[in-house]
Coordinates of all heavy atoms in Angstrom, one line a residue:
M1 N 88.9 167.0 164.4 CA 89.9 166.7 165.3 C 90.2 165.2 165.3 O 89.2 164.4 165.2 CB 89.6 167.1 166.8 CG 90.6 166.7 167.8 SD 90.1 167.1 169.5 CE 89.0 165.8 169.8
K2 N 91.4 164.8 165.3 CA 91.8 163.4 165.4 C 92.6 163.1 166.7 O 93.1 164.1 167.2 CB 92.7 163.0 164.2 CG 92.0 163.1 162.8 CD 93.0 162.8 161.7 CE 92.3 163.0 160.4 NZ 93.2 162.8 159.3
S3 N 92.6 161.9 167.1 CA 93.3 161.6 168.3 C 94.2 160.4 168.1 O 94.0 159.5 167.3 CB 92.3 161.2 169.4 OG 93.0 160.9 170.6
S4 N 95.3 160.4 168.9 CA 96.2 159.2 168.8 C 95.6 158.0 169.6 O 96.1 156.9 169.4 CB 97.6 159.6 169.5 OG 97.3 159.8 170.9
G5 N 94.6 158.3 170.4 CA 94.2 157.2 171.3 C 95.2 157.1 172.4 O 96.2 157.8 172.4
L6 N 95.0 156.2 173.3 CA 95.9 156.0 174.4 C 97.3 155.5 173.9 O 97.4 154.6 173.1 CB 95.3 154.9 175.3 CG 96.2 154.5 176.5 CD1 96.4 155.7 177.5 CD2 95.7 153.3 177.2
F7 N 98.3 156.1 174.4 CA 99.7 155.6 174.2 C 100.2 155.2 175.6 O 99.8 155.8 176.6 CB 100.6 156.5 173.5 CG 100.8 157.9 174.1 CD1 101.6 158.1 175.2 CD2 100.2 159.0 173.6 CE1 101.9 159.3 175.8 CE2 100.4 160.3 174.2 CZ 101.2 160.4 175.3
F8 N 101.0 154.2 175.6 CA 101.5 153.6 176.9 C 102.9 153.0 176.6 O 103.1 152.4 175.6 CB 100.6 152.5 177.4 CG 101.1 151.8 178.6 CD1 101.0 152.3 179.9 CD2 101.8 150.6 178.4 CE1 101.5 151.6 180.9 CE2 102.3 149.9 179.5 CZ 102.1 150.4 180.8
G9 N 103.8 153.3 177.6 CA 105.1 152.7 177.4 C 105.9 152.6 178.8 O 105.5 153.3 179.7
Y10 N 106.9 151.8 178.8 CA 107.8 151.6 179.9 C 109.1 152.4 179.7 O 109.6 152.5 178.6 CB 108.1 150.1 180.1 CG 107.0 149.3 180.4 CD1 106.3 148.6 179.4 CD2 106.6 149.0 181.7 CE1 105.2 147.8 179.7 CE2 105.5 148.2 182.0 CZ 104.8 147.6 181.0 OH 103.7 146.8 181.3
K11 N 109.6 152.9 180.8 CA 110.9 153.6 180.8 C 111.9 152.6 181.5 O 111.5 151.7 182.2 CB 110.8 154.9 181.6 CG 109.8 155.9 180.9 CD 109.7 157.2 181.7 CE 110.4 158.2 181.0 NZ 110.5 159.5 181.7
D12 N 113.2 152.9 181.2 CA 114.3 152.0 181.7 C 114.3 151.9 183.3 O 114.7 150.9 183.8 CB 115.6 152.5 181.3 CG 115.8 152.3 179.8 OD1 115.1 151.4 179.2 OD2 116.7 153.0 179.2
D13 N 113.8 152.9 184.0 CA 113.9 152.9 185.4 C 112.6 152.2 186.1 O 112.5 152.2 187.3 CB 114.0 154.3 186.0 CG 112.8 155.2 185.6 OD1 111.9 154.8 185.0 OD2 112.9 156.4 186.0
G14 N 111.8 151.6 185.3 CA 110.6 150.9 185.8 C 109.4 151.8 185.9 O 108.3 151.3 186.2
S15 N 109.5 153.1 185.6 CA 108.4 154.0 185.5 C 107.6 153.8 184.2 O 108.2 153.1 183.3 CB 108.8 155.4 185.7 OG 109.6 155.9 184.7
V16 N 106.5 154.4 184.1 CA 105.7 154.3 182.9 C 105.2 155.6 182.4 O 105.1 156.6 183.3 CB 104.5 153.3 183.0 CG1 104.9 151.9 183.3 CG2 103.5 153.8 184.0
Y17 N 104.9 155.8 181.2 CA 104.2 157.0 180.7 C 103.0 156.5 179.9 O 102.9 155.5 179.3 CB 105.2 157.8 179.8 CG 105.7 157.1 178.6 CD1 105.0 157.1 177.3 CD2 106.8 156.3 178.6 CE1 105.4 156.5 176.2 CE2 107.3 155.6 177.5 CZ 106.6 155.7 176.3 OH 107.0 155.0 175.2
L18 N 102.0 157.4 180.0 CA 100.7 157.1 179.3 C 100.0 158.4 179.0 O 100.3 159.4 179.7 CB 99.8 156.1 180.0 CG 99.4 156.6 181.4 CD1 97.9 156.4 181.6 CD2 100.1 155.8 182.5
G19 N 99.2 158.4 178.0 CA 98.4 159.6 177.7 C 97.8 159.5 176.3 O 97.6 158.5 175.8
Y20 N 97.6 160.7 175.7 CA 97.0 160.8 174.4 C 97.4 162.1 173.8 O 97.9 163.1 174.5 CB 95.5 160.7 174.5 CG 94.9 161.8 175.3 CD1 94.4 163.0 174.7 CD2 94.8 161.8 176.7 CE1 93.9 164.0 175.4 CE2 94.2 162.8 177.4 CZ 93.8 163.9 176.7 OH 93.2 165.0 177.5
E21 N 97.2 162.2 172.5 CA 97.4 163.5 171.8 C 96.2 163.7 170.8 O 95.9 162.8 170.1 CB 98.7 163.4 171.0 CG 99.0 164.8 170.3 CD 100.4 164.8 169.7 OE1 101.2 163.9 169.8 OE2 100.8 165.9 169.2
D22 N 95.6 164.8 170.9 CA 94.6 165.2 170.0 C 95.2 166.2 169.0 O 96.0 167.1 169.3 CB 93.4 165.9 170.7 CG 92.7 165.0 171.6 OD1 92.7 163.8 171.4 OD2 92.0 165.4 172.5
Y23 N 94.8 166.0 167.7 CA 95.4 166.8 166.6 C 94.4 167.8 166.1 O 93.2 167.5 166.0 CB 95.9 165.8 165.5 CG 96.8 164.7 166.0 CD1 96.3 163.4 166.1 CD2 98.1 164.9 166.3 CE1 97.0 162.4 166.5 CE2 98.9 163.9 166.7 CZ 98.4 162.6 166.9 OH 99.1 161.6 167.3
D24 N 94.9 168.9 165.7 CA 94.1 170.0 165.0 C 92.9 170.3 165.9 O 91.8 170.3 165.4 CB 93.7 169.5 163.6 CG 93.1 170.6 162.8 OD1 93.5 171.8 163.0 OD2 92.3 170.3 161.9
V25 N 93.1 170.7 167.1 CA 92.1 171.0 168.1 C 91.6 172.4 167.8 O 92.3 173.4 168.0 CB 92.6 170.8 169.5 CG1 91.4 171.2 170.5 CG2 93.1 169.4 169.8
E26 N 90.3 172.5 167.5 CA 89.7 173.8 167.1 C 89.8 174.8 168.3 O 90.1 176.0 168.1 CB 88.2 173.6 166.7 CG 87.6 174.9 166.2 CD 86.2 174.6 165.7 OE1 86.0 173.6 165.0 OE2 85.3 175.5 165.9
F27 N 89.6 174.3 169.5 CA 89.6 175.1 170.7 C 91.0 175.8 170.9 O 91.1 176.9 171.4 CB 89.2 174.3 172.0 CG 89.2 175.1 173.2 CD1 88.0 175.9 173.5 CD2 90.2 175.1 174.1 CE1 88.0 176.6 174.7 CE2 90.2 175.9 175.3 CZ 89.0 176.6 175.6
F28 N 92.0 175.2 170.4 CA 93.4 175.7 170.5 C 93.8 176.2 169.1 O 95.0 176.1 168.8 CB 94.3 174.6 171.1 CG 94.0 174.2 172.5 CD1 93.6 173.0 172.8 CD2 94.1 175.1 173.5 CE1 93.3 172.6 174.0 CE2 93.8 174.8 174.8 CZ 93.4 173.5 175.1
D29 N 92.9 176.7 168.4 CA 93.3 177.3 167.0 C 94.0 176.3 166.1 O 94.9 176.7 165.4 CB 94.1 178.6 167.2 CG 93.3 179.7 167.9 OD1 92.1 179.8 167.6 OD2 93.9 180.5 168.6
G30 N 93.6 175.1 166.2 CA 94.2 174.1 165.3 C 95.5 173.4 165.8 O 96.0 172.6 165.1
Y31 N 95.9 173.9 167.0 CA 97.1 173.2 167.5 C 96.8 171.8 168.0 O 95.7 171.5 168.3 CB 97.7 174.1 168.6 CG 98.4 175.4 168.2 CD1 97.8 176.6 168.4 CD2 99.6 175.3 167.6 CE1 98.4 177.8 167.9 CE2 100.3 176.5 167.2 CZ 99.6 177.7 167.3 OH 100.2 178.8 166.9
D32 N 97.9 171.1 168.2 CA 97.8 169.8 168.8 C 97.8 169.9 170.3 O 98.4 170.8 170.9 CB 98.9 168.8 168.4 CG 98.9 168.6 166.9 OD1 97.9 168.8 166.3 OD2 100.0 168.1 166.4
Y33 N 97.1 169.0 171.0 CA 97.0 169.0 172.5 C 97.5 167.6 173.0 O 96.8 166.6 172.7 CB 95.6 169.3 172.9 CG 95.3 169.3 174.4 CD1 95.6 170.4 175.2 CD2 94.7 168.2 175.0 CE1 95.4 170.4 176.5 CE2 94.5 168.2 176.3 CZ 94.8 169.3 177.1 OH 94.5 169.3 178.4
E34 N 98.6 167.6 173.8 CA 99.1 166.3 174.3 C 99.1 166.3 175.8 O 99.5 167.3 176.4 CB 100.5 166.1 173.7 CG 101.1 164.8 174.2 CD 102.5 164.5 173.7 OE1 102.9 165.2 172.8 OE2 103.1 163.6 174.2
V35 N 98.6 165.2 176.4 CA 98.7 165.0 177.8 C 99.4 163.7 178.1 O 99.1 162.7 177.5 CB 97.3 164.9 178.4 CG1 97.3 164.7 179.9 CG2 96.4 166.2 178.1
T36 N 100.5 163.8 178.9 CA 101.3 162.7 179.3 C 101.3 162.6 180.8 O 101.6 163.6 181.5 CB 102.7 162.8 178.7 OG1 102.6 163.0 177.3 CG2 103.5 161.6 179.1
Y37 N 101.1 161.4 181.3 CA 101.2 161.1 182.7 C 102.5 160.2 182.9 O 102.7 159.2 182.1 CB 100.0 160.3 183.2 CG 98.7 161.1 183.1 CD1 97.9 161.0 182.0 CD2 98.4 162.0 184.1 CE1 96.8 161.8 181.9 CE2 97.2 162.8 184.0 CZ 96.4 162.6 182.9 OH 95.3 163.4 182.8
I38 N 103.2 160.5 184.0 CA 104.4 159.6 184.3 C 104.1 159.1 185.7 O 103.8 159.9 186.6 CB 105.7 160.4 184.4 CG1 105.9 161.2 183.1 CG2 106.9 159.5 184.7 CD1 106.4 160.4 181.9
L39 N 104.2 157.8 185.9 CA 104.1 157.1 187.2 C 105.4 156.4 187.5 O 105.8 155.6 186.6 CB 102.9 156.1 187.2 CG 101.5 156.6 187.2 CD1 101.1 157.2 185.9 CD2 100.6 155.6 187.7
N40 N 105.9 156.7 188.7 CA 107.1 155.9 189.0 C 106.7 154.5 189.3 O 105.6 154.1 189.3 CB 107.8 156.5 190.2 CG 107.0 156.5 191.5 OD1 106.1 155.7 191.7 ND2 107.4 157.4 192.5
R41 N 107.7 153.6 189.5 CA 107.5 152.2 189.6 C 106.5 151.8 190.7 O 105.6 151.0 190.6 CB 108.9 151.5 189.8 CG 108.8 150.0 190.0 CD 108.2 149.4 188.7 NE 107.8 148.0 188.9 CZ 108.1 147.0 188.1 NH1 108.7 147.3 187.0 NH2 107.7 145.8 188.3
A42 N 106.7 152.5 191.9 CA 105.8 152.2 193.0 C 104.4 152.5 192.7 O 103.5 151.8 193.1 CB 106.3 152.9 194.3
N43 N 104.2 153.7 192.1 CA 102.8 154.1 191.8 C 102.2 153.3 190.7 O 101.0 153.0 190.6 CB 102.7 155.6 191.6 CG 102.8 156.3 192.9 OD1 101.8 156.4 193.6 ND2 104.0 156.9 193.2
F44 N 103.0 152.9 189.7 CA 102.6 152.0 188.7 C 102.1 150.6 189.3 O 101.1 150.1 188.9 CB 103.6 151.8 187.6 CG 103.3 150.8 186.5 CD1 102.1 151.0 185.8 CD2 104.0 149.7 186.3 CE1 101.8 150.1 184.8 CE2 103.7 148.8 185.3 CZ 102.6 149.0 184.6
D45 N 102.9 150.1 190.2 CA 102.5 148.9 190.9 C 101.2 149.0 191.6 O 100.3 148.1 191.5 CB 103.6 148.5 191.9 CG 104.9 148.0 191.3 OD1 104.8 147.7 190.0 OD2 105.9 147.9 192.0
I46 N 100.9 150.2 192.3 CA 99.6 150.4 192.9 C 98.5 150.4 191.9 O 97.5 149.9 192.1 CB 99.7 151.7 193.7 CG1 100.7 151.6 194.9 CG2 98.3 152.0 194.3 CD1 100.9 153.0 195.5
L47 N 98.8 151.1 190.7 CA 97.8 151.2 189.7 C 97.4 149.8 189.2 O 96.2 149.4 189.0 CB 98.3 152.0 188.5 CG 97.4 152.1 187.3 CD1 96.1 152.9 187.6 CD2 98.2 152.8 186.1
C48 N 98.4 149.0 189.0 CA 98.2 147.6 188.5 C 97.4 146.8 189.5 O 96.5 146.0 189.2 CB 99.5 146.9 188.2 SG 100.3 147.5 186.7
Q49 N 97.7 147.0 190.8 CA 96.9 146.3 191.9 C 95.5 146.7 191.9 O 94.6 145.9 192.0 CB 97.6 146.5 193.2 CG 98.9 145.9 193.4 CD 99.6 146.3 194.7 OE1 99.0 147.1 195.5 NE2 100.8 145.9 194.9
C50 N 95.3 148.0 191.8 CA 93.9 148.6 191.8 C 93.1 148.1 190.6 O 91.9 148.0 190.6 CB 93.9 150.1 191.9 SG 94.5 150.7 193.4
L51 N 93.8 148.0 189.4 CA 93.1 147.5 188.2 C 93.1 146.0 188.1 O 92.6 145.5 187.1 CB 93.8 148.1 187.0 CG 93.7 149.6 186.8 CD1 94.5 150.1 185.6 CD2 92.2 150.1 186.6
K52 N 93.6 145.3 189.1 CA 93.7 143.9 189.1 C 94.4 143.3 187.9 O 93.9 142.3 187.4 CB 92.3 143.3 189.3 CG 91.6 143.8 190.6 CD 90.2 143.3 190.8 CE 89.5 143.7 192.0 NZ 89.9 144.7 192.8
I53 N 95.5 143.9 187.5 CA 96.3 143.4 186.4 C 97.2 142.3 187.0 O 98.0 142.6 188.0 CB 97.1 144.5 185.8 CG1 96.1 145.5 185.2 CG2 98.1 144.0 184.7 CD1 96.8 146.8 184.7
V54 N 97.2 141.2 186.4 CA 98.0 140.1 186.9 C 98.9 139.4 185.7 O 98.5 139.5 184.6 CB 97.2 138.9 187.5 CG1 96.5 139.5 188.8 CG2 96.1 138.4 186.6
G55 N 100.0 138.9 186.1 CA 100.8 138.1 185.2 C 101.2 138.9 183.9 O 101.6 140.1 184.0
D56 N 101.0 138.2 182.8 CA 101.4 138.8 181.5 C 100.2 139.5 180.8 O 100.2 139.7 179.6 CB 101.9 137.8 180.6 CG 101.0 136.7 180.3 OD1 99.9 136.6 180.9 OD2 101.3 135.8 179.4
Q57 N 99.2 139.9 181.6 CA 98.0 140.6 181.1 C 98.5 141.9 180.5 O 99.4 142.6 181.0 CB 97.0 140.9 182.2 CG 95.7 141.3 181.8 CD 94.7 141.4 182.9 OE1 95.1 141.3 184.1 NE2 93.4 141.6 182.6
D58 N 98.0 142.3 179.3 CA 98.4 143.5 178.6 C 97.8 144.7 179.3 O 96.6 145.0 179.4 CB 97.9 143.5 177.2 CG 98.4 144.6 176.3 OD1 98.7 145.7 176.8 OD2 98.7 144.3 175.1
V59 N 98.7 145.5 179.9 CA 98.4 146.7 180.7 C 97.6 147.7 179.8 O 96.6 148.3 180.2 CB 99.6 147.4 181.3 CG1 99.3 148.7 182.0 CG2 100.3 146.4 182.2
R60 N 98.1 147.9 178.6 CA 97.4 148.9 177.7 C 95.9 148.5 177.4 O 95.1 149.3 177.5 CB 98.2 149.0 176.3 CG 97.6 150.0 175.4 CD 98.5 150.2 174.2 NE 98.0 151.2 173.3 CZ 97.0 151.1 172.4 NH1 96.4 149.9 172.3 NH2 96.6 152.1 171.7
D61 N 95.7 147.2 177.3 CA 94.3 146.7 177.0 C 93.4 147.0 178.3 O 92.3 147.4 178.1 CB 94.3 145.2 176.7 CG 94.8 144.9 175.4 OD1 94.9 145.8 174.5 OD2 95.1 143.7 175.1
V62 N 94.0 146.8 179.5 CA 93.2 147.1 180.7 C 93.0 148.6 180.8 O 91.9 149.0 181.2 CB 93.9 146.5 181.9 CG1 93.2 146.9 183.2 CG2 94.1 145.0 181.8
L63 N 94.0 149.4 180.5 CA 93.8 150.8 180.6 C 92.7 151.3 179.6 O 91.8 152.1 179.9 CB 95.1 151.5 180.3 CG 96.2 151.4 181.3 CD1 97.5 152.0 180.8 CD2 95.8 152.2 182.6
I64 N 92.7 150.7 178.4 CA 91.7 151.1 177.4 C 90.3 150.6 177.9 O 89.3 151.4 177.8 CB 92.0 150.5 176.0 CG1 93.2 151.2 175.4 CG2 90.8 150.5 175.1 CD1 93.8 150.6 174.2
S65 N 90.2 149.4 178.4 CA 88.9 149.0 178.9 C 88.4 149.7 180.1 O 87.2 149.9 180.2 CB 88.9 147.5 179.2 OG 89.7 147.2 180.3
T66 N 89.3 150.3 180.9 CA 88.9 151.1 182.0 C 88.6 152.5 181.7 O 87.7 153.1 182.2 CB 90.0 150.9 183.1 OG1 90.2 149.6 183.4 CG2 89.5 151.6 184.4
F67 N 89.5 153.1 180.9 CA 89.5 154.6 180.7 C 89.2 155.0 179.3 O 89.1 156.2 178.9 CB 90.8 155.2 181.1 CG 91.2 154.9 182.6 CD1 92.2 154.0 182.9 CD2 90.5 155.5 183.6 CE1 92.5 153.8 184.2 CE2 90.8 155.2 184.9 CZ 91.8 154.4 185.2
G68 N 88.9 154.0 178.4 CA 88.5 154.3 177.0 C 89.7 154.4 176.1 O 90.8 154.8 176.5
Y69 N 89.4 154.1 174.8 CA 90.5 154.2 173.8 C 91.0 155.6 173.7 O 92.2 155.8 173.5 CB 89.9 153.7 172.4 CG 90.9 153.9 171.3 CD1 92.0 152.9 171.2 CD2 90.9 154.9 170.5 CE1 92.9 153.1 170.2 CE2 91.8 155.1 169.5 CZ 92.9 154.2 169.3 OH 93.8 154.3 168.4
Y70 N 90.1 156.6 173.8 CA 90.6 158.0 173.7 C 91.0 158.5 175.0 O 91.3 159.7 175.2 CB 89.5 158.8 173.1 CG 89.2 158.4 171.6 CD1 88.1 157.7 171.3 CD2 90.2 158.7 170.6 CE1 87.9 157.3 170.0 CE2 90.0 158.3 169.3 CZ 88.8 157.6 169.0 OH 88.6 157.2 167.7
F71 N 91.0 157.7 176.0 CA 91.6 158.0 177.4 C 90.9 159.2 178.1 O 91.2 160.3 177.8 CB 93.1 158.2 177.3 CG 93.7 158.1 178.7 CD1 93.7 156.9 179.3 CD2 94.2 159.2 179.3 CE1 94.3 156.7 180.6 CE2 94.8 159.0 180.6 CZ 94.8 157.8 181.2
D72 N 90.0 158.8 179.0 CA 89.3 159.8 179.8 C 90.2 160.2 180.9 O 90.3 159.6 181.9 CB 88.0 159.2 180.3 CG 87.1 160.1 181.1 OD1 87.6 161.1 181.6 OD2 85.9 159.9 181.1
S73 N 90.9 161.3 180.7 CA 91.9 161.8 181.7 C 91.3 162.2 183.0 O 91.9 162.0 184.0 CB 92.7 162.9 181.1 OG 92.0 164.0 180.7
I74 N 90.1 162.7 183.0 CA 89.4 163.1 184.2 C 89.1 161.8 185.0 O 89.3 161.8 186.2 CB 88.1 163.9 184.0 CG1 88.5 165.3 183.4 CG2 87.3 164.1 185.2 CD1 87.4 166.1 182.8
K75 N 88.6 160.8 184.4 CA 88.3 159.6 185.1 C 89.6 159.0 185.6 O 89.6 158.5 186.7 CB 87.6 158.6 184.1 CG 87.2 157.3 184.7 CD 86.4 156.4 183.7 CE 86.0 155.1 184.3 NZ 85.3 154.3 183.3
F76 N 90.7 159.0 184.8 CA 92.0 158.5 185.3 C 92.5 159.3 186.5 O 92.9 158.6 187.5 CB 93.0 158.6 184.1 CG 94.4 158.2 184.6 CD1 94.7 156.9 184.7 CD2 95.3 159.2 184.8 CE1 96.0 156.5 185.1 CE2 96.6 158.8 185.1 CZ 97.0 157.5 185.3
E77 N 92.4 160.6 186.5 CA 92.9 161.4 187.6 C 92.1 161.1 188.8 O 92.6 161.0 189.9 CB 92.9 162.9 187.2 CG 94.0 163.2 186.2 CD 94.2 164.7 185.9 OE1 93.8 165.5 186.7 OE2 94.7 165.0 184.8
N78 N 90.8 161.0 188.7 CA 89.9 160.7 189.8 C 90.2 159.4 190.4 O 90.3 159.2 191.6 CB 88.4 160.8 189.5 CG 88.0 162.3 189.2 OD1 88.6 163.2 189.7 ND2 86.9 162.4 188.5
F79 N 90.4 158.4 189.5 CA 90.8 157.0 190.0 C 92.1 157.1 190.8 O 92.2 156.4 191.8 CB 90.9 156.1 188.7 CG 91.2 154.7 189.1 CD1 90.2 153.8 189.3 CD2 92.5 154.3 189.1 CE1 90.5 152.5 189.6 CE2 92.9 153.0 189.4 CZ 91.8 152.0 189.7
C80 N 93.1 157.8 190.3 CA 94.4 157.8 190.9 C 94.2 158.5 192.3 O 94.7 158.1 193.3 CB 95.4 158.6 190.1 SG 95.9 157.7 188.6
Q81 N 93.4 159.6 192.3 CA 93.2 160.3 193.6 C 92.5 159.4 194.6 O 93.0 159.4 195.8 CB 92.4 161.6 193.4 CG 92.2 162.4 194.6 CD 91.5 163.7 194.3 OE1 90.8 163.8 193.4 NE2 91.6 164.6 195.2
Q82 N 91.5 158.7 194.2 CA 90.8 157.8 195.1 C 91.6 156.7 195.6 O 91.4 156.1 196.7 CB 89.6 157.3 194.4 CG 88.5 158.3 194.1 CD 87.4 157.8 193.2 OE1 87.5 156.6 192.7 NE2 86.4 158.6 192.9
N83 N 92.7 156.3 194.9 CA 93.5 155.1 195.3 C 94.9 155.5 195.7 O 95.8 154.7 195.9 CB 93.6 154.2 194.1 CG 92.2 153.5 193.8 OD1 91.8 152.6 194.6 ND2 91.6 153.9 192.8
G84 N 95.1 156.8 195.9 CA 96.4 157.3 196.4 C 97.6 157.1 195.5 O 98.7 156.9 195.9
I85 N 97.3 157.1 194.2 CA 98.3 157.0 193.1 C 98.8 158.3 192.7 O 98.0 159.2 192.3 CB 97.7 156.2 191.9 CG1 97.2 154.8 192.3 CG2 98.8 156.1 190.8 CD1 96.4 154.1 191.3
I86 N 100.1 158.5 192.8 CA 100.7 159.8 192.5 C 101.3 159.7 191.1 O 101.9 158.8 190.7 CB 101.8 160.1 193.6 CG1 101.2 160.2 195.0 CG2 102.6 161.4 193.2 CD1 102.2 160.3 196.1
F87 N 101.1 160.8 190.4 CA 101.6 160.9 189.0 C 102.1 162.3 188.7 O 101.7 163.2 189.4 CB 100.5 160.5 188.0 CG 99.3 161.4 188.1 CD1 99.2 162.6 187.5 CD2 98.2 160.9 188.8 CE1 98.1 163.4 187.6 CE2 97.0 161.7 188.9 CZ 97.0 162.9 188.3
N88 N 102.9 162.5 187.7 CA 103.2 163.8 187.2 C 102.5 163.9 185.9 O 102.5 163.0 185.1 CB 104.7 163.9 187.0 CG 105.5 164.0 188.2 OD1 105.1 164.6 189.2 ND2 106.6 163.2 188.3
R89 N 101.9 165.1 185.6 CA 101.1 165.3 184.4 C 101.8 166.4 183.6 O 102.2 167.5 184.2 CB 99.7 165.7 184.7 CG 98.9 166.0 183.4 CD 97.5 166.6 183.7 NE 97.6 167.8 184.5 CZ 96.7 168.2 185.4 NH1 95.6 167.5 185.6 NH2 96.9 169.3 186.0
Y90 N 102.0 166.2 182.3 CA 102.6 167.2 181.4 C 101.6 167.4 180.3 O 101.1 166.5 179.7 CB 103.9 166.6 180.9 CG 104.9 166.3 182.0 CD1 105.0 165.0 182.5 CD2 105.7 167.3 182.5 CE1 105.9 164.7 183.5 CE2 106.6 167.0 183.5 CZ 106.7 165.7 184.0 OH 107.6 165.4 185.0
I91 N 101.4 168.7 180.0 CA 100.5 169.1 178.9 C 101.3 169.9 177.9 O 102.1 170.8 178.3 CB 99.3 169.9 179.5 CG1 98.5 169.1 180.4 CG2 98.5 170.5 178.3 CD1 97.4 169.8 181.1
H92 N 101.2 169.6 176.7 CA 101.8 170.4 175.6 C 100.8 170.8 174.6 O 100.0 169.9 174.1 CB 102.9 169.5 175.0 CG 103.6 170.2 173.8 ND1 104.5 171.2 174.0 CD2 103.5 170.0 172.5 CE1 104.9 171.6 172.8 NE2 104.3 170.9 171.9
I93 N 100.8 172.0 174.3 CA 99.9 172.6 173.2 C 100.9 173.1 172.2 O 101.7 174.0 172.5 CB 99.0 173.6 173.7 CG1 98.1 173.0 174.8 CG2 98.1 174.2 172.6 CD1 97.2 174.0 175.6
G94 N 100.7 172.7 170.9 CA 101.6 173.2 169.9 C 101.6 172.5 168.6 O 101.0 171.5 168.4

């Protein structure tokens, strides 16, 4: 199995998307497994405050140092729950 590692990007409306994709996952009969989280602007701001991201600090670098290059989604979801951060999660297998 190979992984994309963490991907992260901004949308035009100020929301962000982040997640990862694993390729050729044996558990899913060789299909790819992708998890994407969407946070609106307000919840992204809360995430940045909780992670103590300031100024022009690279958000992706902080996310990697906190949740790992391969992105520990369980750790991320627990962190969000503990800090009242709301997200939408999308999973695609195929």
Side-chain angles (χ1 to χ4, degrees):
M1 178 183 76
K2 296 179 184 176
S3 179
S4 67
L6 174 70
F7 59 77
F8 172 82
Y10 295 91
K11 299 177 107 184
D12 290 340
D13 63 0
S15 63
V16 297
Y17 60 91
L18 59 132
Y20 63 94
E21 185 171 1
D22 292 337
Y23 309 103
D24 194 27
V25 180
E26 186 175 320
F27 184 78
F28 296 113
D29 293 327
Y31 287 105
D32 297 342
Y33 177 80
E34 180 179 348
V35 179
T36 303
Y37 297 93
I38 307 285
L39 284 78
N40 66 20
R41 179 61 191 226
N43 284 286
F44 176 58
D45 288 345
I46 297 169
L47 177 67
C48 289
Q49 291 171 4
C50 292
L51 293 174
K52 299 178 180 18
I53 297 171
V54 294
D56 62 352
Q57 192 173 10
D58 190 324
V59 175
R60 185 174 183 277
D61 288 346
V62 175
L63 290 169
I64 289 172
S65 68
T66 306
F67 303 108
Y69 176 78
Y70 295 107
F71 197 68
D72 185 336
S73 58
I74 293 171
K75 185 176 179 181
F76 174 76
E77 290 186 22
N78 288 337
F79 181 88
C80 288
Q81 183 178 21
Q82 292 168 357
N83 291 286
I85 300 167
I86 299 168
F87 58 82
N88 291 316
R89 179 184 61 209
Y90 301 92
I91 298 173
H92 174 74
I93 301 170

